[in-house]
Amino acid sequence: MVAAYDQLRSEGYIDARRGSGAFVANVPPDHLLSARSIAAKPLHPSKNDRQTDLRPPEHRPLPFSPGAVDQDLFPTQLWSRLLDRAWRRHGCNLLNRSDARGHVPLQHAISEHLKIWRAIDCDAEQIFVTSGSAEGLRLVLSSLLDKPDRVFLEDPGYDTFRRVVADQRHEAVCCPVDGEGLDIAEAERRTPNARAAIVTASRHYPLGVTMSLARRLALLDWAKRTGGWIIEDDYDSEYRYAGRPLATLMSLDETERVIYLGSFSKVLFPTLRLGYVVAPQGAVDLFTTALRSIGSSASMVAQPALTEFIESGAFASHIRRMRRVYGRRLVALRQALDTHCQGLLEPAGTDGGMHIVARLSEKLARDTSDIELSRRAHAAGLIAPAISSHAIEHHDVQGLVLGFAAFQECELANGVRCLASVLTKR
Amino acid sequence: MVAAYDQLRSEGYIDARRGSGAFVANVPPDHLLSARSIAAKPLHPSKNDRQTDLRPPEHRPLPFSPGAVDQDLFPTQLWSRLLDRAWRRHGCNLLNRSDARGHVPLQHAISEHLKIWRAIDCDAEQIFVTSGSAEGLRLVLSSLLDKPDRVFLEDPGYDTFRRVVADQRHEAVCCPVDGEGLDIAEAERRTPNARAAIVTASRHYPLGVTMSLARRLALLDWAKRTGGWIIEDDYDSEYRYAGRPLATLMSLDETERVIYLGSFSKVLFPTLRLGYVVAPQGAVDLFTTALRSIGSSASMVAQPALTEFIESGAFASHIRRMRRVYGRRLVALRQALDTHCQGLLEPAGTDGGMHIVARLSEKLARDTSDIELSRRAHAAGLIAPAISSHAIEHHDVQGLVLGFAAFQECELANGVRCLASVLTKR
């Protein structure tokens, strides 16, 4: 401590005076503009204490955290090798931003991935790498709406989007979601002049509903007729356990009114903070200008490694592997719910994603609310968000969101037993 | 191509139909919801072409890019080793977010760094890791201002902040900056009811002015009297080539009205996209709630490596080394300007930072504008932003912003010769 202090003093970085609480008024401005002495307080914690801190705490998400991914099956050895290699080879070229839109090879890799996995035919130039769908939405709204405007949002829906819309002072118009997804005709009847609609067409978040064809065509027609924009959030469609992959609105769109938001949070891991926007060809310049003006939040550190991860085929292998694993976990969770939560929860059918929506039984819903049950589950060490906590106006759907991806089958079974006892406790 | 296609088909991922432009109306919904056949277009570019793309393009910032850092002196080998090691050892614990505020050991490392380098005495709990100062400002405004409000901004000033303020629909009140920095008394006289002031007190961006003691005390007094918030952007104060380090407003503040924004963009590299907010103790809960509600944009990928970089002392060594190098470059740039741009540019004195502000001579300012000269410099392969392009109302300061950090002394001399010929060409 003293040595560090002496070194700093010898380099002219700190003043030798001790105790500095009252020196403001009595010394000339020149002094005041220099940093306060750090000697007044010891530089605790000591080096040894801090060394202990350096190990990341063992962190396991609690069942049934919906956004969590499996921690043991991610190829961390390969990933660390790719990070190391990219930085050893190209490090000096990565330090200064060459293009706000992202690492060019990653743009190419994403556009190839989208062709194969999501049937979206786009050029690399249409891809804008972001730090995730929140930044993506912010970019889209800043680019397309130059003044506060009305934006259709699914209700219930993804809280973060609502927050981004509110942060930019747009008016969030809540649209109910039924078994066919967002009903644009009904939404338009109530609020005729919205400028954008944010939808999770492939699998509604959190309800898991797939938007019907009729609704998709109506939505595309709305955009064409009114000049509105459709912002399609496609957050985990790579995880589909039965049937063919679902088409995206963007691949159906022929009028360049759909903007696609993709993310690596679910298919890789959430702390990666990399996602992307696919802009319609005609909006690329608008998006580029907006992104350059505010700068990108997407770190470059992992972009070259991610590029190699995708191009080498490791990404596709990982998705396929996790799809098998998650598919089994979905079955295990559903079986456990059938066994232990009969008459309490009614799990909705789902053939994809990373969570199940389990509605409260009529009896349970009469006695209590999903928010209360979620609170009690949390007290018992479980994360089971209430559906109605994702809602603004439409609280009629009462149920719990149960993530299964990050948990082994035995953990899911134990979790469900624990949940059942929470639900039956009065 | 055909093999890839066959594999996808065999796995049930794509439909065997070819050509799909007109199939929307004629097939059942079930079909329409499945992905369009990708066979209609070949999967170009071929694998070999893409391999070439994988190498990051050789990227060198053009002189005098103000935000660029030196690309050759960053310890990329050490950095890649730290990345590799952190992920090999702790990878599985890094995938799912444990705390939206950031990697806990990094919070500790930053608070230690601030004690030593910026004389800010804060707990790790007050540190919120962000993807940079734009996200930092967004977090601060979302946490503290619950409705559109007036925000004092320096004019000229940092464009990105203006954009963030505008994006959240606050009213940006432009305050002139003189030789003592932002004049809060004058600002308050014109606009009495602003709720926050964003200032670069240590070194105004872009003018390089250090806020005087009188103005600092007046600003702190304004905050105390009105309940306003001071948002202190301290973007590159580690780079000071003469005298003692400058005190921060936060270290002078005794009423918890100052929020500090720090960044690794200048002291490490801009594409890292890591920065931090230091919240006053009393606002920590408010900030935590806001950050959890919208999620952090800060990637976890580099946070453990950065922690070790700081704790091992490599960060301090890097800053000290770059300070010596940048200090020499500052001298070289000033000498080159004295030699080649006499009577054209009047470089302001500066003892820190990564750029010089060079005002146009009276003669030059009479004949042309800084924006026109910046445009001409760009055409000649130079980046020399016009000061007045950073201004909203106050365009009276005409000059160029010349970054020197990323360029060797000979590059700076060549760049200045080139700039001189741009300035003298009619």
PDB file of all heavy atoms in Angstrom, chain A residues 13 33 38 47 50 94 163 168-169 247 271 293 300 311 323, chain B residues 13 33 47 50 94 115 163 168-169 247 251 271 293 300 311 323:
ATOM      1  N   TYR A  13       1.601  11.954  -9.222  1.00  0.00           N
ATOM      2  CA  TYR A  13       0.161  11.783  -9.385  1.00  0.00           C
ATOM      3  C   TYR A  13      -0.653  12.128  -8.181  1.00  0.00           C
ATOM      4  O   TYR A  13      -1.838  12.403  -8.293  1.00  0.00           O
ATOM      5  CB  TYR A  13      -0.160  10.356  -9.868  1.00  0.00           C
ATOM      6  CG  TYR A  13       0.103  10.368 -11.306  1.00  0.00           C
ATOM      7  CD1 TYR A  13       1.338   9.966 -11.785  1.00  0.00           C
ATOM      8  CD2 TYR A  13      -0.804  10.966 -12.178  1.00  0.00           C
ATOM      9  CE1 TYR A  13       1.641  10.109 -13.104  1.00  0.00           C
ATOM     10  CE2 TYR A  13      -0.497  11.107 -13.484  1.00  0.00           C
ATOM     11  CZ  TYR A  13       0.717  10.680 -13.959  1.00  0.00           C
ATOM     12  OH  TYR A  13       1.028  10.838 -15.265  1.00  0.00           O
ATOM     13  N   LEU A  33      -7.985  22.084  -8.474  1.00  0.00           N
ATOM     14  CA  LEU A  33      -8.235  21.341  -9.700  1.00  0.00           C
ATOM     15  C   LEU A  33      -7.446  20.043  -9.740  1.00  0.00           C
ATOM     16  O   LEU A  33      -7.663  19.203 -10.586  1.00  0.00           O
ATOM     17  CB  LEU A  33      -7.885  22.206 -10.914  1.00  0.00           C
ATOM     18  CG  LEU A  33      -8.880  23.336 -11.127  1.00  0.00           C
ATOM     19  CD1 LEU A  33      -8.430  24.204 -12.279  1.00  0.00           C
ATOM     20  CD2 LEU A  33     -10.265  22.764 -11.410  1.00  0.00           C
ATOM     21  N   ILE A  38      -5.228  10.679  -1.989  1.00  0.00           N
ATOM     22  CA  ILE A  38      -5.901   9.415  -1.714  1.00  0.00           C
ATOM     23  C   ILE A  38      -5.438   8.826  -0.396  1.00  0.00           C
ATOM     24  O   ILE A  38      -5.870   7.782   0.029  1.00  0.00           O
ATOM     25  CB  ILE A  38      -5.647   8.362  -2.812  1.00  0.00           C
ATOM     26  CG1 ILE A  38      -4.148   8.117  -2.936  1.00  0.00           C
ATOM     27  CG2 ILE A  38      -6.258   8.756  -4.118  1.00  0.00           C
ATOM     28  CD1 ILE A  38      -3.825   6.784  -3.555  1.00  0.00           C
ATOM     29  N   LYS A  47      -4.604  -6.571  -1.508  1.00  0.00           N
ATOM     30  CA  LYS A  47      -4.385  -7.334  -2.736  1.00  0.00           C
ATOM     31  C   LYS A  47      -4.903  -8.770  -2.604  1.00  0.00           C
ATOM     32  O   LYS A  47      -5.576  -9.283  -3.498  1.00  0.00           O
ATOM     33  CB  LYS A  47      -2.876  -7.335  -3.030  1.00  0.00           C
ATOM     34  CG  LYS A  47      -2.486  -8.000  -4.347  1.00  0.00           C
ATOM     35  CD  LYS A  47      -2.864  -7.152  -5.538  1.00  0.00           C
ATOM     36  CE  LYS A  47      -2.461  -7.833  -6.839  1.00  0.00           C
ATOM     37  NZ  LYS A  47      -3.120  -7.251  -7.982  1.00  0.00           N
ATOM     38  N   ARG A  50      -8.612  -9.014  -2.778  1.00  0.00           N
ATOM     39  CA  ARG A  50      -9.102  -8.798  -4.132  1.00  0.00           C
ATOM     40  C   ARG A  50      -8.869 -10.006  -5.022  1.00  0.00           C
ATOM     41  O   ARG A  50      -9.675 -10.328  -5.861  1.00  0.00           O
ATOM     42  CB  ARG A  50      -8.452  -7.552  -4.731  1.00  0.00           C
ATOM     43  CG  ARG A  50      -9.246  -6.289  -4.398  1.00  0.00           C
ATOM     44  CD  ARG A  50      -8.625  -5.094  -5.041  1.00  0.00           C
ATOM     45  NE  ARG A  50      -7.404  -4.728  -4.355  1.00  0.00           N
ATOM     46  CZ  ARG A  50      -6.273  -4.420  -4.970  1.00  0.00           C
ATOM     47  NH1 ARG A  50      -6.211  -4.461  -6.269  1.00  0.00           N
ATOM     48  NH2 ARG A  50      -5.219  -4.069  -4.279  1.00  0.00           N
ATOM     49  N   LEU A  94      -8.593  -4.740 -34.777  1.00  0.00           N
ATOM     50  CA  LEU A  94      -9.928  -4.775 -34.163  1.00  0.00           C
ATOM     51  C   LEU A  94     -10.162  -3.620 -33.204  1.00  0.00           C
ATOM     52  O   LEU A  94     -11.274  -3.415 -32.735  1.00  0.00           O
ATOM     53  CB  LEU A  94     -10.109  -6.102 -33.399  1.00  0.00           C
ATOM     54  CG  LEU A  94      -9.955  -7.373 -34.235  1.00  0.00           C
ATOM     55  CD1 LEU A  94      -9.973  -8.593 -33.320  1.00  0.00           C
ATOM     56  CD2 LEU A  94     -11.055  -7.469 -35.281  1.00  0.00           C
ATOM     57  N   ARG A 163     -40.273  -0.829 -22.664  1.00  0.00           N
ATOM     58  CA  ARG A 163     -39.430   0.171 -22.026  1.00  0.00           C
ATOM     59  C   ARG A 163     -38.687   1.022 -23.063  1.00  0.00           C
ATOM     60  O   ARG A 163     -38.573   2.242 -22.918  1.00  0.00           O
ATOM     61  CB  ARG A 163     -38.445  -0.564 -21.108  1.00  0.00           C
ATOM     62  CG  ARG A 163     -37.464   0.313 -20.404  1.00  0.00           C
ATOM     63  CD  ARG A 163     -38.142   1.092 -19.281  1.00  0.00           C
ATOM     64  NE  ARG A 163     -37.236   2.062 -18.717  1.00  0.00           N
ATOM     65  CZ  ARG A 163     -36.864   2.088 -17.440  1.00  0.00           C
ATOM     66  NH1 ARG A 163     -37.353   1.226 -16.595  1.00  0.00           N
ATOM     67  NH2 ARG A 163     -36.028   3.001 -17.016  1.00  0.00           N
ATOM     68  N   GLN A 168     -38.170   6.325 -25.617  1.00  0.00           N
ATOM     69  CA  GLN A 168     -38.128   7.248 -26.749  1.00  0.00           C
ATOM     70  C   GLN A 168     -39.421   8.064 -26.853  1.00  0.00           C
ATOM     71  O   GLN A 168     -39.648   8.745 -27.842  1.00  0.00           O
ATOM     72  CB  GLN A 168     -37.872   6.491 -28.062  1.00  0.00           C
ATOM     73  CG  GLN A 168     -36.486   5.830 -28.094  1.00  0.00           C
ATOM     74  CD  GLN A 168     -36.042   5.461 -29.505  1.00  0.00           C
ATOM     75  OE1 GLN A 168     -36.783   5.622 -30.470  1.00  0.00           O
ATOM     76  NE2 GLN A 168     -34.827   4.954 -29.617  1.00  0.00           N
ATOM     77  N   ARG A 169     -40.250   7.970 -25.813  1.00  0.00           N
ATOM     78  CA  ARG A 169     -41.485   8.762 -25.703  1.00  0.00           C
ATOM     79  C   ARG A 169     -42.484   8.485 -26.811  1.00  0.00           C
ATOM     80  O   ARG A 169     -43.287   9.349 -27.142  1.00  0.00           O
ATOM     81  CB  ARG A 169     -41.186  10.274 -25.666  1.00  0.00           C
ATOM     82  CG  ARG A 169     -40.040  10.664 -24.768  1.00  0.00           C
ATOM     83  CD  ARG A 169     -40.331  10.452 -23.311  1.00  0.00           C
ATOM     84  NE  ARG A 169     -39.098  10.677 -22.548  1.00  0.00           N
ATOM     85  CZ  ARG A 169     -38.957  10.409 -21.259  1.00  0.00           C
ATOM     86  NH1 ARG A 169     -39.964   9.918 -20.566  1.00  0.00           N
ATOM     87  NH2 ARG A 169     -37.833  10.621 -20.650  1.00  0.00           N
ATOM     88  N   ALA A 247     -41.907 -19.921 -41.103  1.00  0.00           N
ATOM     89  CA  ALA A 247     -41.496 -18.834 -41.991  1.00  0.00           C
ATOM     90  C   ALA A 247     -41.497 -17.531 -41.215  1.00  0.00           C
ATOM     91  O   ALA A 247     -42.252 -17.341 -40.264  1.00  0.00           O
ATOM     92  CB  ALA A 247     -42.467 -18.731 -43.160  1.00  0.00           C
ATOM     93  N   THR A 271     -25.204 -13.314 -22.182  1.00  0.00           N
ATOM     94  CA  THR A 271     -24.227 -12.276 -21.846  1.00  0.00           C
ATOM     95  C   THR A 271     -23.307 -11.933 -23.020  1.00  0.00           C
ATOM     96  O   THR A 271     -22.497 -11.025 -22.910  1.00  0.00           O
ATOM     97  CB  THR A 271     -23.344 -12.703 -20.659  1.00  0.00           C
ATOM     98  OG1 THR A 271     -22.604 -13.875 -21.037  1.00  0.00           O
ATOM     99  CG2 THR A 271     -24.176 -13.004 -19.426  1.00  0.00           C
ATOM    100  N   SER A 293     -24.528   7.993 -36.323  1.00  0.00           N
ATOM    101  CA  SER A 293     -24.683   9.203 -35.523  1.00  0.00           C
ATOM    102  C   SER A 293     -24.617   8.892 -34.036  1.00  0.00           C
ATOM    103  O   SER A 293     -24.096   9.670 -33.258  1.00  0.00           O
ATOM    104  CB  SER A 293     -25.983   9.919 -35.894  1.00  0.00           C
ATOM    105  OG  SER A 293     -26.882   9.928 -34.835  1.00  0.00           O
ATOM    106  N   MET A 300     -16.647  -5.322 -30.219  1.00  0.00           N
ATOM    107  CA  MET A 300     -15.971  -6.048 -31.292  1.00  0.00           C
ATOM    108  C   MET A 300     -15.242  -7.281 -30.759  1.00  0.00           C
ATOM    109  O   MET A 300     -14.839  -8.147 -31.531  1.00  0.00           O
ATOM    110  CB  MET A 300     -14.972  -5.091 -31.968  1.00  0.00           C
ATOM    111  CG  MET A 300     -14.256  -5.632 -33.195  1.00  0.00           C
ATOM    112  SD  MET A 300     -15.387  -6.148 -34.506  1.00  0.00           S
ATOM    113  CE  MET A 300     -15.903  -4.551 -35.119  1.00  0.00           C
ATOM    114  N   GLU A 311     -18.997 -19.853 -39.316  1.00  0.00           N
ATOM    115  CA  GLU A 311     -18.493 -20.326 -40.612  1.00  0.00           C
ATOM    116  C   GLU A 311     -17.949 -21.748 -40.548  1.00  0.00           C
ATOM    117  O   GLU A 311     -18.000 -22.490 -41.512  1.00  0.00           O
ATOM    118  CB  GLU A 311     -17.410 -19.374 -41.137  1.00  0.00           C
ATOM    119  CG  GLU A 311     -17.934 -18.007 -41.547  1.00  0.00           C
ATOM    120  CD  GLU A 311     -18.768 -18.068 -42.820  1.00  0.00           C
ATOM    121  OE1 GLU A 311     -18.798 -19.134 -43.479  1.00  0.00           O
ATOM    122  OE2 GLU A 311     -19.407 -17.062 -43.145  1.00  0.00           O
ATOM    123  N   ARG A 323     -30.875 -28.449 -29.602  1.00  0.00           N
ATOM    124  CA  ARG A 323     -32.262 -28.741 -29.960  1.00  0.00           C
ATOM    125  C   ARG A 323     -32.655 -30.128 -29.473  1.00  0.00           C
ATOM    126  O   ARG A 323     -33.756 -30.328 -28.965  1.00  0.00           O
ATOM    127  CB  ARG A 323     -32.439 -28.609 -31.475  1.00  0.00           C
ATOM    128  CG  ARG A 323     -33.882 -28.485 -31.889  1.00  0.00           C
ATOM    129  CD  ARG A 323     -33.996 -28.041 -33.318  1.00  0.00           C
ATOM    130  NE  ARG A 323     -33.115 -28.840 -34.150  1.00  0.00           N
ATOM    131  CZ  ARG A 323     -32.723 -28.478 -35.373  1.00  0.00           C
ATOM    132  NH1 ARG A 323     -33.135 -27.341 -35.882  1.00  0.00           N
ATOM    133  NH2 ARG A 323     -31.937 -29.247 -36.070  1.00  0.00           N
TER     134      ARG A 323
ATOM    135  N   TYR B  13     -35.617 -29.583 -42.718  1.00  0.00           N
ATOM    136  CA  TYR B  13     -35.592 -28.135 -42.541  1.00  0.00           C
ATOM    137  C   TYR B  13     -36.087 -27.334 -43.709  1.00  0.00           C
ATOM    138  O   TYR B  13     -36.476 -26.192 -43.563  1.00  0.00           O
ATOM    139  CB  TYR B  13     -34.197 -27.648 -42.113  1.00  0.00           C
ATOM    140  CG  TYR B  13     -34.093 -27.937 -40.691  1.00  0.00           C
ATOM    141  CD1 TYR B  13     -33.502 -29.121 -40.273  1.00  0.00           C
ATOM    142  CD2 TYR B  13     -34.741 -27.130 -39.765  1.00  0.00           C
ATOM    143  CE1 TYR B  13     -33.529 -29.461 -38.954  1.00  0.00           C
ATOM    144  CE2 TYR B  13     -34.764 -27.479 -38.454  1.00  0.00           C
ATOM    145  CZ  TYR B  13     -34.162 -28.629 -38.051  1.00  0.00           C
ATOM    146  OH  TYR B  13     -34.196 -28.973 -36.742  1.00  0.00           O
ATOM    147  N   LEU B  33     -46.668 -21.329 -43.369  1.00  0.00           N
ATOM    148  CA  LEU B  33     -45.950 -21.036 -42.135  1.00  0.00           C
ATOM    149  C   LEU B  33     -44.573 -21.676 -42.124  1.00  0.00           C
ATOM    150  O   LEU B  33     -43.765 -21.378 -41.273  1.00  0.00           O
ATOM    151  CB  LEU B  33     -46.768 -21.504 -40.937  1.00  0.00           C
ATOM    152  CG  LEU B  33     -48.004 -20.642 -40.694  1.00  0.00           C
ATOM    153  CD1 LEU B  33     -48.805 -21.215 -39.553  1.00  0.00           C
ATOM    154  CD2 LEU B  33     -47.606 -19.210 -40.403  1.00  0.00           C
ATOM    155  N   LYS B  47     -17.978 -21.266 -50.450  1.00  0.00           N
ATOM    156  CA  LYS B  47     -17.196 -21.415 -49.213  1.00  0.00           C
ATOM    157  C   LYS B  47     -15.819 -20.745 -49.333  1.00  0.00           C
ATOM    158  O   LYS B  47     -15.371 -20.045 -48.440  1.00  0.00           O
ATOM    159  CB  LYS B  47     -17.051 -22.914 -48.925  1.00  0.00           C
ATOM    160  CG  LYS B  47     -16.340 -23.246 -47.620  1.00  0.00           C
ATOM    161  CD  LYS B  47     -17.195 -22.946 -46.407  1.00  0.00           C
ATOM    162  CE  LYS B  47     -16.453 -23.298 -45.128  1.00  0.00           C
ATOM    163  NZ  LYS B  47     -17.070 -22.709 -43.952  1.00  0.00           N
ATOM    164  N   ARG B  50     -15.932 -17.045 -49.120  1.00  0.00           N
ATOM    165  CA  ARG B  50     -16.197 -16.604 -47.762  1.00  0.00           C
ATOM    166  C   ARG B  50     -14.957 -16.706 -46.888  1.00  0.00           C
ATOM    167  O   ARG B  50     -14.718 -15.884 -46.045  1.00  0.00           O
ATOM    168  CB  ARG B  50     -17.361 -17.401 -47.173  1.00  0.00           C
ATOM    169  CG  ARG B  50     -18.701 -16.714 -47.480  1.00  0.00           C
ATOM    170  CD  ARG B  50     -19.848 -17.466 -46.870  1.00  0.00           C
ATOM    171  NE  ARG B  50     -20.083 -18.712 -47.572  1.00  0.00           N
ATOM    172  CZ  ARG B  50     -20.283 -19.860 -46.983  1.00  0.00           C
ATOM    173  NH1 ARG B  50     -20.263 -19.939 -45.680  1.00  0.00           N
ATOM    174  NH2 ARG B  50     -20.511 -20.948 -47.693  1.00  0.00           N
ATOM    175  N   LEU B  94     -20.027 -17.713 -17.052  1.00  0.00           N
ATOM    176  CA  LEU B  94     -20.151 -16.390 -17.667  1.00  0.00           C
ATOM    177  C   LEU B  94     -21.331 -16.294 -18.626  1.00  0.00           C
ATOM    178  O   LEU B  94     -21.676 -15.221 -19.093  1.00  0.00           O
ATOM    179  CB  LEU B  94     -18.866 -16.050 -18.429  1.00  0.00           C
ATOM    180  CG  LEU B  94     -17.573 -16.057 -17.601  1.00  0.00           C
ATOM    181  CD1 LEU B  94     -16.364 -15.883 -18.505  1.00  0.00           C
ATOM    182  CD2 LEU B  94     -17.617 -14.964 -16.536  1.00  0.00           C
ATOM    183  N   LYS B 115     -10.110   5.121  -7.304  1.00  0.00           N
ATOM    184  CA  LYS B 115      -9.473   5.666  -6.094  1.00  0.00           C
ATOM    185  C   LYS B 115      -8.093   6.209  -6.432  1.00  0.00           C
ATOM    186  O   LYS B 115      -7.720   7.307  -6.038  1.00  0.00           O
ATOM    187  CB  LYS B 115      -9.331   4.557  -5.039  1.00  0.00           C
ATOM    188  CG  LYS B 115     -10.582   4.305  -4.226  1.00  0.00           C
ATOM    189  CD  LYS B 115     -10.246   3.493  -2.966  1.00  0.00           C
ATOM    190  CE  LYS B 115     -11.529   3.073  -2.253  1.00  0.00           C
ATOM    191  NZ  LYS B 115     -12.172   1.916  -2.907  1.00  0.00           N
ATOM    192  N   ARG B 163     -27.787  13.297 -28.998  1.00  0.00           N
ATOM    193  CA  ARG B 163     -28.668  12.347 -29.645  1.00  0.00           C
ATOM    194  C   ARG B 163     -29.417  11.493 -28.617  1.00  0.00           C
ATOM    195  O   ARG B 163     -30.617  11.225 -28.763  1.00  0.00           O
ATOM    196  CB  ARG B 163     -27.819  11.446 -30.568  1.00  0.00           C
ATOM    197  CG  ARG B 163     -28.566  10.387 -31.310  1.00  0.00           C
ATOM    198  CD  ARG B 163     -29.443  10.987 -32.401  1.00  0.00           C
ATOM    199  NE  ARG B 163     -30.290   9.967 -32.971  1.00  0.00           N
ATOM    200  CZ  ARG B 163     -30.284   9.610 -34.253  1.00  0.00           C
ATOM    201  NH1 ARG B 163     -29.516  10.231 -35.107  1.00  0.00           N
ATOM    202  NH2 ARG B 163     -31.090   8.667 -34.685  1.00  0.00           N
ATOM    203  N   GLN B 168     -34.612  10.335 -26.036  1.00  0.00           N
ATOM    204  CA  GLN B 168     -35.517  10.180 -24.896  1.00  0.00           C
ATOM    205  C   GLN B 168     -36.489  11.364 -24.786  1.00  0.00           C
ATOM    206  O   GLN B 168     -37.192  11.490 -23.784  1.00  0.00           O
ATOM    207  CB  GLN B 168     -34.713  10.010 -23.597  1.00  0.00           C
ATOM    208  CG  GLN B 168     -33.909   8.718 -23.570  1.00  0.00           C
ATOM    209  CD  GLN B 168     -33.478   8.337 -22.159  1.00  0.00           C
ATOM    210  OE1 GLN B 168     -33.717   9.029 -21.184  1.00  0.00           O
ATOM    211  NE2 GLN B 168     -32.827   7.183 -22.044  1.00  0.00           N
ATOM    212  N   ARG B 169     -36.476  12.215 -25.807  1.00  0.00           N
ATOM    213  CA  ARG B 169     -37.425  13.334 -25.915  1.00  0.00           C
ATOM    214  C   ARG B 169     -37.261  14.364 -24.814  1.00  0.00           C
ATOM    215  O   ARG B 169     -38.211  15.070 -24.486  1.00  0.00           O
ATOM    216  CB  ARG B 169     -38.885  12.848 -25.937  1.00  0.00           C
ATOM    217  CG  ARG B 169     -39.156  11.686 -26.857  1.00  0.00           C
ATOM    218  CD  ARG B 169     -38.999  12.006 -28.315  1.00  0.00           C
ATOM    219  NE  ARG B 169     -39.086  10.760 -29.074  1.00  0.00           N
ATOM    220  CZ  ARG B 169     -38.804  10.656 -30.362  1.00  0.00           C
ATOM    221  NH1 ARG B 169     -38.415  11.705 -31.062  1.00  0.00           N
ATOM    222  NH2 ARG B 169     -38.895   9.504 -30.971  1.00  0.00           N
ATOM    223  N   ALA B 247      -8.912  17.144 -10.657  1.00  0.00           N
ATOM    224  CA  ALA B 247      -9.943  16.624  -9.761  1.00  0.00           C
ATOM    225  C   ALA B 247     -11.239  16.452 -10.530  1.00  0.00           C
ATOM    226  O   ALA B 247     -11.521  17.174 -11.487  1.00  0.00           O
ATOM    227  CB  ALA B 247     -10.159  17.576  -8.602  1.00  0.00           C
ATOM    228  N   SER B 251     -15.470  14.048  -6.950  1.00  0.00           N
ATOM    229  CA  SER B 251     -14.660  14.035  -5.726  1.00  0.00           C
ATOM    230  C   SER B 251     -14.842  15.328  -4.931  1.00  0.00           C
ATOM    231  O   SER B 251     -14.520  15.386  -3.754  1.00  0.00           O
ATOM    232  CB  SER B 251     -13.188  13.794  -6.073  1.00  0.00           C
ATOM    233  OG  SER B 251     -12.679  14.838  -6.867  1.00  0.00           O
ATOM    234  N   THR B 271     -13.575  -0.143 -29.600  1.00  0.00           N
ATOM    235  CA  THR B 271     -14.493  -1.234 -29.950  1.00  0.00           C
ATOM    236  C   THR B 271     -14.719  -2.191 -28.778  1.00  0.00           C
ATOM    237  O   THR B 271     -15.526  -3.104 -28.896  1.00  0.00           O
ATOM    238  CB  THR B 271     -13.960  -2.055 -31.144  1.00  0.00           C
ATOM    239  OG1 THR B 271     -12.714  -2.640 -30.760  1.00  0.00           O
ATOM    240  CG2 THR B 271     -13.778  -1.186 -32.376  1.00  0.00           C
ATOM    241  N   SER B 293     -34.582  -3.437 -15.404  1.00  0.00           N
ATOM    242  CA  SER B 293     -35.810  -3.426 -16.203  1.00  0.00           C
ATOM    243  C   SER B 293     -35.491  -3.458 -17.691  1.00  0.00           C
ATOM    244  O   SER B 293     -36.206  -4.072 -18.465  1.00  0.00           O
ATOM    245  CB  SER B 293     -36.672  -2.227 -15.822  1.00  0.00           C
ATOM    246  OG  SER B 293     -36.798  -1.339 -16.873  1.00  0.00           O
ATOM    247  N   MET B 300     -20.431  -9.627 -21.579  1.00  0.00           N
ATOM    248  CA  MET B 300     -19.631 -10.224 -20.517  1.00  0.00           C
ATOM    249  C   MET B 300     -18.328 -10.800 -21.067  1.00  0.00           C
ATOM    250  O   MET B 300     -17.407 -11.080 -20.299  1.00  0.00           O
ATOM    251  CB  MET B 300     -20.458 -11.335 -19.849  1.00  0.00           C
ATOM    252  CG  MET B 300     -19.830 -11.978 -18.639  1.00  0.00           C
ATOM    253  SD  MET B 300     -19.442 -10.813 -17.317  1.00  0.00           S
ATOM    254  CE  MET B 300     -21.091 -10.509 -16.675  1.00  0.00           C
ATOM    255  N   GLU B 311      -6.254  -5.611 -12.534  1.00  0.00           N
ATOM    256  CA  GLU B 311      -5.714  -6.055 -11.244  1.00  0.00           C
ATOM    257  C   GLU B 311      -4.242  -6.434 -11.326  1.00  0.00           C
ATOM    258  O   GLU B 311      -3.505  -6.299 -10.348  1.00  0.00           O
ATOM    259  CB  GLU B 311      -6.533  -7.242 -10.708  1.00  0.00           C
ATOM    260  CG  GLU B 311      -7.939  -6.880 -10.283  1.00  0.00           C
ATOM    261  CD  GLU B 311      -7.959  -6.033  -9.003  1.00  0.00           C
ATOM    262  OE1 GLU B 311      -6.912  -5.889  -8.363  1.00  0.00           O
ATOM    263  OE2 GLU B 311      -9.036  -5.530  -8.652  1.00  0.00           O
ATOM    264  N   ARG B 323       0.791   7.252 -22.229  1.00  0.00           N
ATOM    265  CA  ARG B 323       0.910   8.668 -21.870  1.00  0.00           C
ATOM    266  C   ARG B 323       2.249   9.217 -22.366  1.00  0.00           C
ATOM    267  O   ARG B 323       2.310  10.330 -22.877  1.00  0.00           O
ATOM    268  CB  ARG B 323       0.762   8.820 -20.367  1.00  0.00           C
ATOM    269  CG  ARG B 323       0.436  10.226 -19.955  1.00  0.00           C
ATOM    270  CD  ARG B 323       0.000  10.291 -18.516  1.00  0.00           C
ATOM    271  NE  ARG B 323       0.897   9.508 -17.690  1.00  0.00           N
ATOM    272  CZ  ARG B 323       0.598   9.107 -16.466  1.00  0.00           C
ATOM    273  NH1 ARG B 323      -0.580   9.391 -15.945  1.00  0.00           N
ATOM    274  NH2 ARG B 323       1.454   8.403 -15.766  1.00  0.00           N
TER     275      ARG B 323
END
